[in-house]
């Protein structure tokens, strides 16, 4: 099955980096480019983090630089959540050999949209400034972008103010323009990402795979877990869940609602107004994720979020294992994801990864794995995690 072309627009901080790792490892998508935007940290760092991630993994992905300031007059919001340079206390080798494109992020988005002839999808996991600029410079893009999957907003609550989520809060004007564009889109907001925390067991599980991508993901996750222990935000996979939504849409229960963005008000600027009861009478324009769900597995029937993220990262690690010849892979005439599955610990992992592989590549295994069923994800520690 042909891979779906994606651009990931990101303010590469810790959860962005894990989302990038997961996306690079998916069998269903081809990441054409990473475009950086100001958000978690200054764009000088988000662009450098993207470049160094691509260099470290040896990924064939273009890296373009984007907006340094939002349309909305916001300032002074960098905090310690992602460390001073975005990847916590993880330092990657400087990939000086990976050039930034000469094109800016909006120009690159336009070029690749033209090349992909309407197949391009965007995974937007930071403030939407680049996307708004691209749509403003090239209005015809609305017809050439197949779908936008974005991490942002919330039907209920916020993490920057009681009513606004960070990505939308930083640049509510950009978000308003993009959400009103008419491009088909899915909103993966705090309503589901606050249920997506990983813990020390997950970090050790991921680290146990032992290759570059796994150890890097584990190192970032380790920082996030220590951050939480020190009273900071939990190890929430906000952006990775948006990536999972794109490759495993049945992981989420989504409803079509009319959504708009409030750009005024001390406490409301950046609020995503999600019209769940149709009070505005306006036509739904966004598919909003309201619950986490996932495919049924033979066992166990009730999974916590780890399982899904293990799948997402598991597929990443399958891909990276296959790309890392130095790894001692079981001999197999055709090294495929299946041939290295037995290296996972225990049948449970094996079946989990098979079902993710099955979900992502749409193979015929689903009839052997039983019909998808509703699964309730429970926060690891039964609490509402610490948020910004
Ligand atoms: O509110 C969570 C979002 O803000 C995530 O995308 C995180 O990376 C930060 O950008
Ligand atoms: Ca982000």
């Amino acid at each position: 099955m042909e891979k779906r072309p994606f651009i990931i627009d990101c303010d590469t901080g810790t959860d962005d980096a894990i989302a990038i790792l997961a996306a690079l490892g998916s069998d269903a998508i081809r990441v054409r480019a990473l475009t950086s935007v100001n958000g978690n940290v200054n764009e000088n760092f988000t662009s450098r983090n993207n470049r160094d991630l691509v260099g470290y993994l040896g990924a064939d992905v273009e890296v373009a630089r984007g907006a340094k300031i939002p349309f909305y007059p916001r300032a002074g919001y960098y905090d310690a959540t992602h460390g001073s340079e975005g990847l916590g206390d993880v330092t990657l080798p400087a990939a000086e050999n990976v050039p930034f494109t000469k094109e800016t992020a909006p120009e690159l988005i336009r070029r690749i949209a033209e090349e992909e002839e309407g197949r391009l999808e965007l995974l937007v996991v930071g403030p939407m400034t680049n996307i708004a600029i691209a749509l403003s410079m090239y209005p015809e893009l609305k017809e050439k972008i197949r779908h936008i999957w974005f991490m942002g907003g919330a039907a209920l609550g916020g993490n920057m103010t009681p009513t606004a989520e960070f990505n939308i809060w930083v640049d509510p004007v950009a978000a308003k323009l993009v959400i009103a564009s008419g491009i088909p889109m899915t909103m993966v907001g705090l309503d589901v990402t606050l249920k997506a925390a990983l813990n020390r067991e997950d970090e050790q599980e991921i680290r146990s795979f032992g290759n570059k991508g796994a150890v890097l993901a584990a190192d970032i996750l380790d920082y996030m877990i220590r951050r939480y222990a020190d009273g900071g935000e939990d190890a929430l996979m906000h952006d990775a869940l948006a990536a999972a939504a794109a490759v495993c849409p049945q992981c989420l229960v989504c409803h079509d609602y009319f959504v708009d963005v409030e750009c005024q008000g001390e406490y409301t600027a950046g609020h995503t107004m999600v019209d769940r009861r149709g009070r505005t009478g306006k036509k739904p324009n966004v598919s909003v994720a309201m619950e986490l769900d996932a495919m049924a597995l033979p066992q166990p029937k009730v999974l916590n979020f780890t399982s899904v993220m293990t799948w997402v990262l598991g597929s990443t690690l399958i891909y990276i294992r296959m790309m890392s010849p130095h790894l001692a892979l079981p001999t197999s005439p055709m090294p495929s994801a299946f041939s290295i599955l037995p290296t996972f610990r225990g049948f449970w992992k094996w079946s989990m990864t098979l079902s993710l592989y099955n979900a992502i590549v749409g193979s015929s295994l689903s009839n052997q794995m039983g019909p998808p069923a509703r699964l309730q994800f429970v926060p690891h520690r039964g609490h509402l995690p610490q948020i910004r």
Side-chain angles (χ1 to χ4, degrees):
M1 185 171 81
E2 196 178 341
K3 291 193 171 189
R4 292 153 54 191
F6 270 73
I7 289 176
I8 303 179
D9 188 73
C10 41
D11 59 337
T12 304
T14 52
D15 62 321
D16 306 70
I18 291 180
I20 291 166
L21 276 169
L24 288 175
S26 164
D27 285 303
I29 65 178
R30 175 190 172 204
V31 179
R32 290 281 320 262
L34 302 181
T35 52
S36 54
V37 67
N38 154 74
N40 288 318
V41 288
N42 185 296
E43 192 276 340
N44 294 327
F45 294 126
T46 63
S47 56
R48 188 203 67 187
N49 293 338
N50 285 346
R51 179 202 69 181
D52 294 350
L53 273 170
V54 165
Y56 184 69
L57 296 172
D60 177 19
V61 171
E62 294 186 80
V63 184
R65 298 195 61 170
K68 294 181 179 302
I69 56 173
F71 287 132
Y72 193 85
R74 291 272 192 225
Y77 43 80
Y78 301 145
D79 66 13
T81 301
H82 298 266
S84 57
E85 300 184 3
L87 296 181
D89 50 16
V90 172
T91 305
L92 287 173
E96 310 286 355
N97 61 317
V98 176
F100 291 116
T101 58
K102 289 188 175 41
E103 296 147 312
T104 62
E107 291 167 329
L108 174 127
I109 291 169
R110 181 210 184 190
R111 182 205 4 121
I112 293 181
E114 297 279 350
E115 290 171 0
E116 292 295 349
E117 298 175 332
R119 291 186 303 270
L120 180 64
E121 297 177 66
L122 304 182
L123 177 61
V124 181
V125 291
M128 295 188 176
T129 316
N130 289 333
I131 316 305
I133 294 171
L135 291 173
S136 172
M137 289 173 70
Y138 315 110
E140 74 280 6
L141 269 182
K142 281 190 282 198
E143 316 307 326
K144 296 183 189 294
I145 293 174
R146 184 177 181 188
H147 199 97
I148 294 177
W149 307 84
F150 72 91
M151 192 282 137
L156 300 167
N159 59 2
M160 276 309 281
T161 69
T163 62
E165 177 279 329
F166 179 79
N167 288 339
I168 310 297
W169 178 88
V170 167
D171 201 342
V173 172
K176 187 179 185 72
L177 289 168
V178 173
I179 289 172
S181 68
I183 297 170
M185 60 183 74
T186 299
M187 169 174 147
V188 179
L190 298 177
D191 310 287
V192 288
T193 67
L194 287 184
K195 298 172 187 168
L198 295 188
N199 66 14
R200 185 59 69 193
E201 179 193 349
D202 306 310
E203 178 265 322
Q204 288 159 357
E205 178 75 30
I206 292 165
R207 188 177 300 280
S208 72
F209 294 119
N211 58 61
K212 285 177 87 170
V215 171
L216 175 57
D219 287 346
I220 294 170
L221 191 46
D222 172 60
Y223 165 79
M224 296 170 87
I225 292 166
R226 284 183 282 115
R227 174 183 74 189
Y228 174 63
D230 294 340
E233 176 170 311
D234 206 337
L236 290 166
M237 296 294 111
H238 297 290
D239 297 343
L241 190 59
V247 296
C248 189
Q250 58 273 37
C251 295
L252 295 169
V253 177
C254 296
H255 301 280
D256 293 344
Y257 295 132
F258 173 71
V259 178
D260 197 350
V261 179
E262 179 56 72
C263 295
Q264 305 293 332
E266 182 182 355
Y267 297 112
T268 53
H271 172 60
T272 44
M273 191 287 301
V274 178
D275 185 6
R276 289 175 293 147
R277 293 179 177 77
R279 288 281 187 271
T280 63
K282 294 185 177 180
K283 187 165 166 286
N285 55 348
V286 180
S287 178
V288 181
M290 295 303 289
E291 285 174 65
L292 276 182
D293 201 341
M295 302 72 63
L297 278 176
Q299 291 297 332
K301 280 296 179 199
V302 177
L303 304 171
N304 63 16
F305 181 75
T306 298
S307 320
V308 177
M309 278 316 298
T310 305
W311 295 342
V312 177
L313 289 170
S315 73
T316 303
L317 306 173
I318 289 174
Y319 166 81
I320 293 173
R321 269 184 178 283
M322 290 194 307
M323 302 300 283
S324 312
H326 65 283
L327 283 176
L329 296 181
T331 51
S332 137
M334 184 57 190
S336 74
F338 293 98
S339 71
I340 64 172
L341 280 176
T343 63
F344 281 86
R345 287 188 322 188
F347 173 75
W348 184 71
K349 285 280 176 252
W350 188 86
S351 61
M352 301 273 283
T353 307
L354 265 180
S355 60
L356 173 68
Y357 188 86
N358 163 40
I360 285 176
V361 299
S363 73
S364 62
L365 282 180
S366 50
N367 52 14
Q368 299 165 27
M369 303 292 284
R374 289 179 65 73
L375 292 170
Q376 291 307 318
F377 285 82
V378 290
H380 271 293
R381 291 173 283 278
H383 70 287
L384 193 59
Q386 291 276 346
I387 55 177
R388 280 179 182 277

